[in-house]
Amino acid sequence: MPVDQATIEAERAIDEAFASSPLLALPSNQVMWTILAVNEDIFLKMHTERPHEEMHMVSDRLLNSLTHPLRACMRRWKDSRRPVRRSYVSDDYGHAWQWLKQAENYDQFCTIFPLWHRKKLKLSVEGKRLLIEPAHEDDKTYEAYNRLIRKEGRDDPVLEQPPAELLKLLRDRTKLKETWFRLKFDREVVSRLVDFHREPTSRGFTLPDHWRFLNFSLKEFRTVMVTLQSMMHGWYLVRTMVANGRMKGLGYPSSVWLLERDDLTSQLAEYTGVSHKSLNAFLDLVTFGSSGILNPDIATQPLIDLGNNQIALAPFVFLNLNVERNLCTLLNQIKEERDHYSRLVDMKEDALVGEIRDFLTDTGFEVISGRLQSTDVDCAIIDRRNRCCLCLELKWFIVPAEIREIGDRTKDLKKGVEQAKHLNDLFRTHDPRLEQLFRIDASYDFLSAVGSVNWIGMGDVQDPAIPIVKVWHLMGELKEKGLPFIMDWLRQRDYLPKVGQDFSVASLPIKVGDWSADWYGIMAPDPES
């Protein structure tokens, strides 16, 4: 059998093996609920056992894996008029747990095969084993940077411990039985939860308030999503309280919030003031598998339609969403929204210079942008006292969610690298327009780099002369350590994590059904070692 045909058949066999869980014998709404509820148990267990600094990687892995069983269920959907049975069933629980664990392996295969299709890997098949060349011999430093330096390179918003008064209010609004609980939301509860979340959550917002999409504004979207995240955090807090109180089953039957779609719309309209028209457009958009999306992602479409006008909201999912980034990813997948979104991205890159200027206001640095005869200058940061000039070619795009998008974003970064090289050449040849625009001369230390908000690419786009760094990682270090230090920090690539110190590349045996392979995993250091 030809190699390509054998690999294609292996891919198909692995897909079929993953989608053969015994859980799929149940009605589809029951499958969806069981998967979400068991995943809540997995998260609750890890949340109590893992150190805080590991949880973002744990949560990312769980979120990526959760999507696959939900997709498999959606593709084999069987309608049922029977309501979801919210109770512990040993066999169902065990099947769901095993499927979610297998989904972590399957997620790796879902990376491997697209890389092969785009000729980034060589694959061959021996029996039921997939042989990969290369696997992890190449430099993984840049991939590690993208993973370990959080998303945009800023510190994640951190919620403080909930105040005792808020916890008491949640207890007062919670009905308890032997194995389940129900939190009764009302204006006071939701208002207090939103107030608790508003300030730390808003620090993660970077897009302009005035942006408007086809059916709602960004401001409306933020308002609704922050409200939902706040409510789901309240639900999760109650779950942890009843679990710590040794409720039988730790509150498993109530781990996921179920309600009618119309009820959710009415509650959100009351708590947010957003119109029913905008709310319905929003809820339609974020429902898993809606808008013609063939490969939905729970991170971008976190609302689960169980049929019969019933929907499910999983606290784990909502607690681990990046509201703006996920919205951008989603809009970029929908033809009607994509062109409109692209125009907004151009505006965002312009606005980024203003954000940098505001951030550096109290540093004494000058921030200059302008046009030369042969190119635009996105952002130059100049330290007159120390005679340093750092030019940044700015890139703002969503983190690539699939292999095709990695190729597109790599092209964007390559263009930035070439523009940065051109600026270096202009300085080296004493271009009068550049020297006049920046008011510098040959005595200045000059460097051009690419500043990307979300993602710096892999090893194949890096250039020894041009650093690529996350903008807000750079800005945080610059404000603390000064421009002369930063120039050397960039040239020496000291912003990158060090293998063996900041991360390790481990061989990762993966298996789905009878099929196996050796892949790799990027691991954070063990804090106890």
Side-chain angles (χ1 to χ4, degrees), residues 172-222:
D172 291 345
R173 295 295 196 277
T174 299
K175 182 177 181 179
L176 299 175
K177 291 293 185 179
E178 182 183 6
T179 62
W180 59 265
F181 66 89
R182 183 182 301 122
L183 172 60
K184 173 65 175 175
F185 291 112
D186 57 31
R187 276 183 175 272
E188 183 182 5
V189 171
V190 174
S191 176
R192 291 284 298 279
L193 286 167
V194 170
D195 286 345
F196 178 60
H197 280 77
R198 182 177 287 112
E199 193 277 329
T201 304
S202 64
R203 282 190 271 117
F205 293 153
T206 63
L207 302 181
D209 276 341
H210 63 269
W211 276 18
R212 182 164 188 88
F213 306 106
L214 294 183
N215 296 304
F216 50 80
S217 69
L218 178 61
K219 185 176 181 180
E220 288 175 324
F221 185 86
R222 282 175 177 159

Side-chain angles (χ1 to χ4, degrees), residues 404-422:
R404 174 189 59 78
E405 291 178 357
I406 287 177
D408 294 341
R409 301 297 170 260
T410 298
K411 290 177 184 176
D412 290 339
L413 290 173
K414 282 182 177 177
K415 182 179 177 182
V417 167
E418 292 306 312
Q419 289 172 316
K421 282 183 173 181
H422 181 57

Side-chain angles (χ1 to χ4, degrees), residues 465-478:
I466 305 296
I468 307 177
V469 64
K470 290 190 179 183
V471 169
W472 294 108
H473 180 206
L474 169 65
M475 292 302 138
E477 295 291 322
L478 173 60

Side-chain angles (χ1 to χ4, degrees), residues 19-309:
S20 62
S21 169
L23 200 65
L24 288 168
L26 298 174
S28 296
N29 58 351
Q30 189 67 46
V31 177
M32 289 282 206
W33 178 85
T34 305
I35 287 292
L36 293 173
V38 172
N39 190 72
E40 290 293 323
D41 268 18
I42 294 172
F43 178 65
L44 181 67
K45 183 175 187 291
M46 289 188 170
H47 206 186
T48 58
E49 295 177 351
R50 299 293 184 90
H52 172 75
E53 57 271 16
E54 282 187 26
M55 281 310 297
H56 77 268
M57 294 183 71
V58 169
S59 297
D60 283 352
R61 187 178 76 247
L62 290 178
L63 203 58
N64 292 337
S65 302
L66 177 60
T67 286
H68 298 298
L70 297 176
R71 281 182 187 170
C73 182
M74 185 188 74
R75 289 167 181 161
R76 300 188 178 195
W77 187 266
K78 295 183 292 187
D79 284 324
S80 173
R81 294 184 179 180
R82 291 164 52 189
V84 169
R85 183 181 66 252
R86 286 180 277 182
S87 59
Y88 173 78
V89 178
S90 177
D91 285 348
D92 296 351
Y93 192 100
H95 292 323
W97 187 286
Q98 291 171 2
W99 205 11
L100 285 164
K101 290 302 178 184
Q102 190 178 60
E104 295 185 19
N105 287 338
Y106 181 66
D107 189 57
Q108 304 301 323
F109 282 113
C110 290
T111 297
I112 292 167
F113 284 110
L115 285 171
W116 174 74
H117 283 292
R118 296 184 72 85
K119 304 189 185 305
K120 299 291 186 180
L121 289 177
K122 294 179 181 179
L123 299 180
S124 57
V125 178
E126 285 188 3
K128 298 287 187 179
R129 186 163 180 78
L130 201 65
L131 304 180
I132 305 168
E133 181 189 354
H136 53 77
E137 291 77 15
D138 53 324
D139 187 359
K140 297 299 179 184
T141 302
Y142 302 96
E143 183 178 351
Y145 178 89
N146 285 318
R147 290 192 61 188
L148 298 177
I149 302 299
R150 292 295 292 146
K151 307 305 182 185
E152 294 186 358
R154 315 180 198 231
D155 290 336
D156 282 344
V158 176
L159 284 173
E160 302 295 333
Q161 286 297 318
E165 312 86 70
L166 177 57
L167 295 177
K168 182 179 184 304
L169 181 62
L170 292 173
R171 288 190 192 95
D172 291 345
R173 295 295 196 277
T174 299
K175 182 177 181 179
L176 299 175
K177 291 293 185 179
E178 182 183 6
T179 62
W180 59 265
F181 66 89
R182 183 182 301 122
L183 172 60
K184 173 65 175 175
F185 291 112
D186 57 31
R187 276 183 175 272
E188 183 182 5
V189 171
V190 174
S191 176
R192 291 284 298 279
L193 286 167
V194 170
D195 286 345
F196 178 60
H197 280 77
R198 182 177 287 112
E199 193 277 329
T201 304
S202 64
R203 282 190 271 117
F205 293 153
T206 63
L207 302 181
D209 276 341
H210 63 269
W211 276 18
R212 182 164 188 88
F213 306 106
L214 294 183
N215 296 304
F216 50 80
S217 69
L218 178 61
K219 185 176 181 180
E220 288 175 324
F221 185 86
R222 282 175 177 159
T223 299
V224 175
M225 280 303 295
V226 170
T227 301
L228 282 173
Q229 287 184 305
S230 302
M231 293 169 74
M232 287 297 89
H233 187 212
W235 196 273
Y236 182 73
L237 287 172
V238 172
R239 172 84 195 278
T240 59
M241 285 190 282
V242 301
N244 291 335
R246 302 299 180 186
M247 174 180 277
K248 183 179 179 181
L250 307 182
Y252 168 76
S254 303
S255 57
V256 177
W257 188 31
L258 301 190
L259 73 167
E260 292 187 353
R261 158 75 183 254
D262 297 341
D263 186 13
L264 180 63
T265 304
S266 297
Q267 288 195 48
L268 289 174
E270 178 183 357
Y271 304 145
T272 67
V274 174
S275 71
H276 277 260
K277 181 179 179 182
S278 292
L279 279 171
N280 282 319
F282 161 81
L283 295 176
D284 287 342
L285 181 69
V286 300
T287 296
F288 191 77
S290 69
S291 304
I293 294 177
L294 299 178
N295 294 305
D297 185 341
I298 190 65
T300 59
Q301 293 185 305
L303 205 65
I304 302 295
D305 185 354
L306 298 178
N308 304 317
N309 196 36

Side-chain angles (χ1 to χ4, degrees), residues 314-377:
F316 159 76
V317 173
F318 281 87
L319 291 177
N320 289 285
L321 298 182
N322 182 306
V323 171
E324 290 187 345
R325 186 177 67 250
N326 292 343
L327 173 62
C328 291
T329 301
L330 181 57
L331 294 176
N332 205 40
Q333 294 177 288
I334 300 170
K335 185 179 184 300
E336 295 79 7
E337 295 276 9
R338 190 180 299 129
D339 292 343
H340 182 66
Y341 165 72
S342 296
R343 291 192 294 273
L344 295 175
V345 167
D346 292 338
M347 293 167 53
K348 174 58 182 172
E349 289 188 349
D350 292 340
L352 183 57
V353 179
E355 293 178 41
I356 292 171
R357 185 175 285 112
D358 290 344
F359 184 79
L360 297 177
T361 295
D362 59 353
T363 61
F365 301 141
E366 289 184 39
V367 178
I368 296 173
S369 57
R371 178 158 184 78
L372 302 174
Q373 185 175 12
S374 53
T375 188
D376 290 333
V377 178

